[in-house]
Amino acid sequence: MSIANRTTIAGLGLTDVGKVYDRSATELAAEAVRLAAVDAGLPLTEVDGLLVSAGVSGAPKLSLQKVLGLTDLRLLAEFNALGASPAAMIAHAAATVANGEASAVACVFADAPLKPKGSARDAFGKPRARPTGFAAYHAEIGAVTPNLFYALAAQRHMATYGTTSEQFGAIAVGQRAWAADNPAAQFRDPLTLELHQASPLVAEPLRLFDCCLVSNGGAAVIVTSAERAADLAQPPVEVLGWGQAHPGRVMHRDSDFGLRTGAADAGPAALKMAGVDVGDVDLLQLYDCYTYTVLVTLEDYGFVPKGEGGAFVAEGHLAPGGSLPCNTGGGQLSAYYLTGFTPVVEAVVQARGQGGARQVDKTDVVMVSGNGGVLEHHATLVLGGAR
Amino acid sequence: MIERDHKSAAFFDAAAEDRLVIRRCIGCRQALPPEAVVCTTCAGTDLEWVQAEGTGLLASYTVVHRAPHPAYRVPYTIGVVELDEGPWLYARVNAESPTVGLPVRVAFRHPEEGESFPVFEEVPA
Ligand SMILES: [Zn+2]
């Protein structure tokens, strides 16, 4: 047995998400951890490890310990692998618990980029204050913001493999159909391929409905040993495997930017640790900052051969009723954006069998991705549903 | 307006003279993008400035329709320009209908304020 088989996600906390203006990121983080402890049936004082991850708000920080009134922790750190942080934090927590260094580790992310009169553009589009040198050149020409860099990645995938905007649209349409049954989702109205194609271009080839939304909120999980979880309130979700890959970005002719990502290394590593392969995966929760990200991750994980992701998603496999359910809560595209916690939260809900109207039948093996920066950081989790 | 720093001074000096310069690793001769501070092939830090031909192709591009900030006038095109020497750089592209693989060549902008910088134009067929 690998070390991974002895740990579980025993608690899950999710605050209100979306236009939540009355709480700071730190307050949202504290609330998420408290909710996760209550959910687990674990007194907060028994939490002896805390990993915190911040978004554009720059909090929570180490001081979350004090905010929560926690003392005598065995593990405490700020964690930053951008969008890969949640999956990477959970892997680190699982390893720490498996090693016996801590017994109940809370992992939390919260952010509050939205302001009452602001927009997503204000939250993420601000040029840095007076950059100099090459950063000033990039600011001058407008080579800024994730939208643009993911557009460059998606365009290269399209040119190389013949992927189409309609195929990206199939991902958005399928996820919106899942979101209809998620009360926490921000966008639940039906989306058609025609509406996707009619949505305004943001940065070619990406349209508005290819892009994730922006949310305020917080999410947390509590990782314990399997033995500890057996006495707690929720069906334990096993942490079966994990892996990371940080390819960076090669700015040279040989670069596989846009074509192949860290998922190609992290995914197989996580599956190997879990002792399964892609054919055993029942349910996918993939980081979906853009529709393109889902498509390239599917290919890199090995669910379809490289370059065939577009045709595969267009057949509706990821949507309700499909052969490979994916982002069953609506994902970052339709539900809410809490970086890598968006797929983690839905994975835990489904693995426990608590998905309500959107619950899938089989959750023995659930694969979760986290992606950070512009495809520079990747973390994978393989979770096992309560049996 | 572009303000130089010590790492970019040689690049902007060259741009002011309508020359495009890139970095090259003294140890292994690998050509590197202008902003490189380390060789991605051998991890060497002894880099020199060398003049590029100024020709290449679009490894990718995007036409930006939604301004990242109100200060930008849309639409505009950003390319990942693959220089013939190998390195990639992000640049403004002037092309009627850009495509991946489109041959481009460098030109220069000399704003009244701030540093000069390269832009790329479609090579006429
Ligand atoms: Zn070198």
Side-chain angles (χ1 to χ4, degrees):
Chain A
M1 295 291 266
S2 79
I3 89 169
N5 294 44
R6 305 197 301 268
T7 56
T8 65
I9 295 173
L12 174 67
L14 177 66
T15 70
D16 293 338
V17 289
K19 292 174 178 169
V20 180
Y21 299 134
D22 60 343
R23 282 157 274 180
S24 70
T26 297
E27 289 166 337
L28 288 162
E31 184 183 340
V33 173
R34 290 192 179 100
L35 287 169
V38 169
D39 175 72
L42 183 81
L44 191 62
T45 51
E46 292 189 20
V47 168
D48 61 358
L50 179 63
L51 297 175
V52 304
S53 168
V56 297
S57 302
K61 292 179 168 292
L62 288 180
S63 56
L64 189 67
Q65 176 188 17
K66 189 178 175 185
V67 174
L68 287 166
L70 296 172
T71 55
D72 300 323
L73 295 180
R74 308 287 304 281
L75 173 70
L76 174 65
E78 292 177 10
F79 213 100
N80 187 3
L82 300 175
S85 302
M89 281 197 294
I90 291 167
H92 190 64
T96 303
V97 168
N99 287 337
E101 297 172 69
S103 65
V105 179
C107 304
V108 62
F109 167 87
D111 202 2
L114 293 173
K115 304 299 173 214
K117 284 183 178 172
S119 69
R121 179 160 56 178
D122 293 335
F124 287 93
K126 275 182 195 148
R128 267 177 281 171
R130 292 196 64 80
T132 58
F134 293 111
Y137 162 69
H138 291 141
E140 174 74 21
I141 66 172
V144 293
T145 80
N147 287 342
L148 193 149
F149 292 103
Y150 276 92
L152 292 168
Q155 187 84 269
R156 194 163 189 240
H157 195 283
M158 291 170 77
T160 304
Y161 301 119
T163 311
T164 67
S165 173
E166 286 83 358
Q167 292 168 343
F168 292 140
I171 292 170
V173 168
Q175 289 190 204
R176 183 64 66 83
W178 283 115
D181 286 323
N182 182 4
Q186 288 175 238
F187 292 154
R188 299 176 67 188
D189 292 339
L191 179 67
T192 62
L193 197 55
E194 290 68 34
L195 285 169
H196 172 273
Q197 289 294 298
S199 70
L201 283 162
V202 174
E204 292 179 27
L206 300 178
R207 297 180 174 279
L208 183 64
F209 290 141
D210 290 307
C211 305
C212 68
L213 39 81
V214 179
S215 313
N216 292 356
V221 296
I222 293 176
V223 176
T224 72
S225 67
E227 294 74 24
R228 185 81 182 85
D231 298 329
L232 297 176
Q234 294 289 348
V237 175
E238 293 174 279
V239 185
L240 300 175
W242 55 78
Q244 290 185 37
H246 304 268
R249 194 183 319 158
V250 176
M251 292 292 287
H252 192 270
R253 181 182 286 140
D254 303 330
S255 177
D256 50 16
F257 174 72
L259 308 181
R260 182 185 187 274
T261 75
D265 295 315
L271 290 168
K272 187 180 177 195
M273 186 189 288
V276 297
D277 70 33
V278 283
D280 299 315
V281 175
D282 300 311
L283 174 64
L284 277 173
Q285 303 296 342
L286 300 183
Y287 196 99
D288 55 329
C289 49
Y290 301 91
T291 50
Y292 152 81
T293 317
V294 173
L295 195 153
V296 76
T297 306
L298 273 177
E299 293 178 348
D300 286 339
Y301 277 175
F303 289 95
V304 288
K306 181 52 72 180
E308 296 178 20
F312 181 80
V313 301
E315 289 168 1
H317 293 287
L318 310 186
S323 63
L324 187 62
C326 177
N327 294 347
T328 49
Q332 299 169 343
L333 296 172
S334 285
Y336 52 84
Y337 180 76
L338 291 178
T339 78
F341 258 115
T342 303
V344 165
V345 168
E346 180 66 11
V348 172
V349 167
Q350 289 281 349
R352 288 173 171 182
Q354 297 172 346
R358 67 183 193 279
Q359 178 65 43
V360 303
D361 292 337
K362 207 158 174 288
T363 61
D364 291 347
V365 180
V366 185
M367 196 167 180
V368 183
S369 77
N371 159 61
V374 184
L375 309 167
E376 291 141 299
H377 310 288
H378 195 96
T380 306
L381 288 176
V382 178
L383 304 178
R387 273 169 270 185
Chain B
M1 187 192 94
I2 303 173
E3 187 184 331
R4 67 172 60 195
D5 59 14
H6 70 280
K7 286 184 296 205
S8 58
F11 179 81
F12 292 119
D13 281 342
E17 299 169 358
D18 289 353
R19 291 187 300 112
L20 179 68
V21 293
I22 56 174
R23 299 293 256 168
R24 186 167 66 191
C25 177
I26 290 172
C28 77
R29 313 298 287 170
Q30 175 71 49
L32 300 162
E35 60 264 55
V37 294
V38 62
C39 175
T40 43
T41 298
C42 76
T45 54
D46 289 332
L47 310 182
E48 60 185 343
W49 291 102
V50 293
Q51 188 161 333
E53 285 298 320
T55 51
L57 54 81
L58 294 183
S60 193
Y61 73 93
T62 179
V63 182
V64 180
H65 292 265
R66 188 171 193 265
H69 185 274
Y72 297 109
R73 278 177 41 214
V74 290
Y76 63 87
T77 302
I78 294 292
V80 177
V81 175
E82 182 172 303
L83 298 174
D84 286 342
E85 292 84 358
W88 283 5
L89 50 93
Y90 300 115
R92 282 281 179 118
V93 173
N94 297 318
E96 193 73 19
S97 45
T99 54
V100 172
L102 184 77
V104 292
R105 70 182 177 206
V106 74
F108 290 88
R109 294 249 180 99
H110 303 288
E112 284 184 19
E113 284 188 273
E115 302 292 347
S116 300
F117 60 94
V119 297
F120 284 79
E121 294 174 343
E122 184 172 359
V123 176

